């Protein structure tokens, strides 16, 4: 065994870890950094970067098929070479990963260890033959696709959101169990690349944590592209017929099983905390494996923090990076930043995308909050019409008494970018009146946001969507 002493030990090279190492070493701290596999974590290796690269390829294929809709000569019949799509994706991932690894390797004051870290005590961890000791330990170990206890899961080959990225031949028919963001993005991606796609979902609708009109708009987008939706599948089990996967469901409208050439399970994620030997540090994960933390991301054990996907306080790249910012500000800048300072924001990268900030309509209705709502379909957004992408809408929620912005949802072209002007206004605690005075660039999707804030109506005057 070789013993090493550091000011800080960081475990995991996801979004929070490397940037924290940069701040700490710049402040003169001696940092030990542990990564057991690929630098960049989920985002770079199996999440944002590879999937958005493949979504771009799928978008290009879809656009070629739609040539006649834009007054162009229809493209000749073409097929997608998934191996080439994968190679493009792999090159993008490799470049991002290599850049991050090089930065850490050349960072003065940072020593990298490769392997799995396990606690020996509250101030020490073992990585192979090395014992690393530090008074500050930061766990940024991320998560992985969950394997739900479905009947038959051990008897059927299946893909996860990670392993599906290694395919080099298109599935003839991809059956996806799970209709969260991951399942929906892969569904549209592979449909546009040329596969038949079926989505099987327990809930009676898509996106059960979002508003009914959002779910309906997303369902319309997917169905229009030929994706089969099997909703309300309250009893799901897996099997095989002739060597191919079969998903047995119990649906009120159609109890027939779904058969396909490939099966993707997209039913959530679990944190990578089960092999850290937490008990030796006095740490206890919750029932789902997450490490409970306070508002400053400190665990119950002094000197140990949990950042990113393993703390259960956010499941996104942007929340992981913000975890780094909170910890660094409080440790180095005498800050008082807290997890609850951030707004709930996220997007589902369909085409067109869905983006959301703050409260939903269902939440404000349930709370009985006096609310005004503005809503405009994309058919009345000039930029969307010009692009030939008119599905979706812009919706904003405003407190009827204080004029404060409570939330917004945008389903539609450019929505993942346009929503940021509302996010910024909410962080600045600005009002609907402030938004109405903004003058945005024409022609854009964003330019209609002040208009939507000028078309507010009392929520009680607006019909309650079915299902809410």
């Amino acid at each position: 065994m070789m013993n090493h002493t550091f000011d800080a030990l960081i475990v995991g090279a996801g979004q929070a870890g490397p940037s924290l190492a940069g701040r700490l070493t710049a402040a003169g701290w001696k940092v030990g950094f542990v990564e057991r596999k690929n630098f960049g974590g989920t985002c770079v290796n199996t999440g944002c970067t590879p999937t958005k690269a493949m979504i771009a390829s799928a978008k290009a294929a879809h656009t070629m098929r739609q040539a006649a809709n834009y007054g162009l000569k229809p493209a000749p019949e073409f097929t997608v070479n998934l191996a080439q799509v994968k190679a493009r994706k792999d090159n993008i991932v490799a470049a991002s990963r290599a850049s991050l690894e090089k930065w850490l390797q050349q960072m003065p004051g940072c020593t990298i260890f490769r392997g799995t870290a396990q606690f020996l005590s509250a101030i020490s961890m073992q990585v192979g033959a090395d014992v690393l000791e530090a008074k500050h330990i930061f766990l940024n170990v991320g998560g992985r696709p969950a394997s739900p206890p479905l009947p038959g899961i051990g008897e059927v080959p299946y893909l996860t959101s990670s392993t599906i990225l290694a395919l080099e031949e298109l599935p003839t028919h991809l059956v996806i169990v799970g209709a969260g963001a991951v399942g929906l993005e892969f569904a549209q991606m592979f449909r546009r690349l040329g596969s038949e796609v079926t989505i099987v979902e327990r809930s009676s609708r898509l996106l059960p944590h979002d508003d009914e009109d959002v779910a309906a708009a997303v369902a319309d987008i997917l169905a229009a592209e030929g994706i089969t939706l099997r909703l309300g599948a309250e009893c799901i089990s897996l099997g095989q017929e002739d060597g191919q996967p079969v998903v047995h469901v119990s649906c009120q409208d159609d109890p027939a099983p779904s058969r396909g050439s490939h099966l993707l399970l997209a039913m959530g994620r679990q944190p990578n905390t089960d092999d850290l030997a937490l008990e030796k540090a006095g740490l206890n994960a919750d029932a789902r494996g997450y490490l409970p933390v306070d508002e400053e991301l400190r665990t119950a054990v002094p000197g140990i923090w949990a950042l990113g996907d393993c703390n259960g306080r956010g499941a996104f790249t942007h929340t992981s990076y913000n975890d780094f910012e909170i910890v660094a500000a409080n440790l180095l800048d005498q800050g008082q930043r807290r997890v609850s300072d951030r707004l709930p924001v996220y997007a589902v990268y369909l085409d067109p995308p869905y983006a959301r900030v703050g409260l939903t309509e269902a939440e404000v209705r349930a709370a009985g909050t006096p609310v005004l709502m503005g809503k405009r379909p994309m058919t009345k957004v000039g930029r969307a019409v010009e692009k030939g992408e008119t599905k979706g809408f812009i919706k904003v929620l405003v407190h009827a008494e204080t004029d404060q912005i409570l939330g917004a949802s945008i389903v539609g072209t450019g929505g993942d970018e346009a929503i940021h002007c509302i996010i910024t206004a909410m962080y600045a605690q600005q009002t609907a009146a402030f938004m109405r005075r903004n003058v945005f660039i024409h022609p854009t999707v964003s330019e209609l946001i002040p208009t939507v804030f000028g078309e507010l109506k009392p929520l009680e005057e607006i019909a309650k969507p079915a299902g809410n």
Side-chain angles (χ1 to χ4, degrees):
M1 292 288 180
M2 293 187 63
N3 296 316
H4 310 265
T5 301
F6 300 96
D7 298 308
L9 180 60
I10 300 173
V11 183
Q15 291 305 300
S19 294
L20 180 59
R23 280 297 315 272
L24 294 178
T25 54
W29 291 37
K30 184 180 176 184
V31 174
F33 199 106
V34 184
E35 173 54 54
R36 65 177 163 190
K37 194 174 182 182
N38 294 323
F39 286 77
T42 297
C43 179
V44 169
N45 295 287
T46 58
C48 312
T49 299
T51 59
K52 280 34 175 194
M54 292 184 70
I55 284 172
S57 295
K59 169 73 170 178
H62 181 69
T63 301
M64 290 176 67
R65 296 189 187 97
Q66 301 297 313
N69 293 339
Y70 294 89
L72 304 175
K73 182 179 179 180
E77 280 296 316
F78 71 94
T79 57
V80 170
N81 186 323
L82 187 60
Q84 293 180 350
V85 172
K86 176 181 177 294
R88 173 182 179 272
K89 174 264 294 181
D90 288 345
N91 287 336
I92 294 171
V93 169
S96 180
R97 183 194 302 151
S99 176
L100 178 61
E101 186 169 0
K102 182 179 179 181
W103 177 46
L104 284 166
Q105 287 174 336
Q106 296 179 351
M107 187 179 292
C110 181
T111 303
I112 295 175
F113 297 87
R114 302 302 297 263
T116 297
Q118 291 188 316
F119 280 104
L120 297 174
S121 71
I123 60 169
S124 63
M125 303 188 80
Q126 182 174 341
V127 182
D130 294 293
V131 174
L132 317 179
E133 185 173 313
K135 293 182 179 180
H136 304 83
I137 297 178
F138 303 94
L139 302 176
N140 180 221
V141 295
R144 63 188 185 274
S147 297
L150 295 174
I153 191 171
E155 304 168 12
V156 181
Y158 63 88
L159 299 164
T160 69
S161 58
S162 298
T163 60
I164 196 171
L165 298 172
L167 291 181
E168 294 194 344
E169 293 186 7
L170 273 177
T172 304
H173 188 163
L174 178 63
V175 178
I176 301 173
V177 179
V182 172
L184 297 183
E185 289 178 18
F186 276 114
Q188 187 182 55
M189 176 202 304
F190 276 93
R191 178 63 184 141
R192 289 182 167 190
L193 291 174
S195 300
E196 293 294 321
V197 176
T198 297
I199 296 174
V200 177
E201 167 59 31
R202 283 195 177 111
S203 175
S204 60
R205 65 178 178 90
L206 303 178
L207 301 171
H209 300 296
D210 293 280
D211 283 329
E212 177 68 21
D213 54 359
V214 168
V218 169
D220 180 57
I221 290 166
L222 297 177
E225 296 191 20
I227 295 171
T228 301
L229 302 178
R230 302 287 307 276
L231 305 179
E234 67 275 9
C235 184
I236 301 173
S237 63
L238 308 179
Q240 286 193 78
E241 291 182 8
D242 299 324
Q244 294 192 324
V246 177
V247 179
H248 299 281
V249 302
S250 177
C251 291
Q252 184 176 356
D253 297 330
D254 180 10
S258 288
R259 297 175 173 85
S261 61
H262 294 71
L263 171 64
L264 169 63
L265 297 185
M267 302 179 71
R269 295 178 64 79
Q270 64 187 77
N272 294 325
T273 58
D274 49 329
D275 60 356
L276 291 171
L278 296 173
E279 67 283 356
K280 294 183 180 179
L283 285 169
N284 293 301
D286 67 14
R288 298 182 298 162
Y290 293 103
L291 292 171
V293 293
D294 65 11
E295 286 277 8
E296 297 184 12
L297 302 164
R298 297 172 297 196
T299 68
V301 177
I304 302 178
W305 288 253
L307 294 77
D309 293 358
C310 69
N311 64 24
R313 300 297 291 266
F316 306 101
T317 293
H318 54 267
T319 53
S320 294
Y321 188 82
N322 183 240
D323 283 357
F324 140 68
E325 294 178 313
I326 291 169
V327 169
N330 294 343
L331 277 176
L332 303 176
D333 304 330
Q334 292 75 52
Q336 293 183 329
R337 297 186 63 172
R338 301 164 64 85
V339 174
S340 57
D341 291 339
R342 64 189 179 213
L343 295 168
V345 293
Y346 66 91
V348 179
Y349 287 92
L350 298 172
D351 179 30
Y354 161 53
R356 170 187 156 190
V357 57
L359 299 175
T360 65
E361 178 186 345
E363 288 170 337
V364 296
R365 284 184 183 274
T369 306
V371 169
L372 304 175
M373 187 171 84
K375 188 173 181 180
R376 172 167 287 244
M378 284 292 174
T379 54
K380 294 185 178 180
V381 176
R383 184 65 172 143
V385 174
E386 294 151 7
K387 294 174 70 176
E389 300 176 14
T390 56
K391 290 187 179 297
F393 55 84
I394 302 170
K395 179 169 70 172
V396 300
L397 300 164
V398 176
H399 198 288
E401 297 172 355
T402 66
D403 204 37
Q404 290 292 317
I405 305 167
L406 299 178
S409 299
I410 303 180
V411 182
T413 181
D416 55 327
E417 296 287 353
I419 202 166
H420 283 87
C421 64
I422 302 176
I423 295 172
T424 298
M426 290 179 68
Y427 273 118
Q429 298 183 334
Q430 290 291 349
T431 62
F434 167 83
M435 292 300 294
R436 288 192 290 271
R437 293 192 295 268
N438 279 258
V439 178
F440 293 152
I441 296 170
H442 173 82
T444 60
V445 173
S446 300
E447 71 171 319
L448 271 299
I449 289 176
T451 303
V452 177
F453 277 102
E455 299 173 338
L456 301 175
K457 296 180 180 179
L459 201 58
E460 58 268 20
E461 295 181 9
I462 301 172
K464 182 179 178 181
N468 279 352

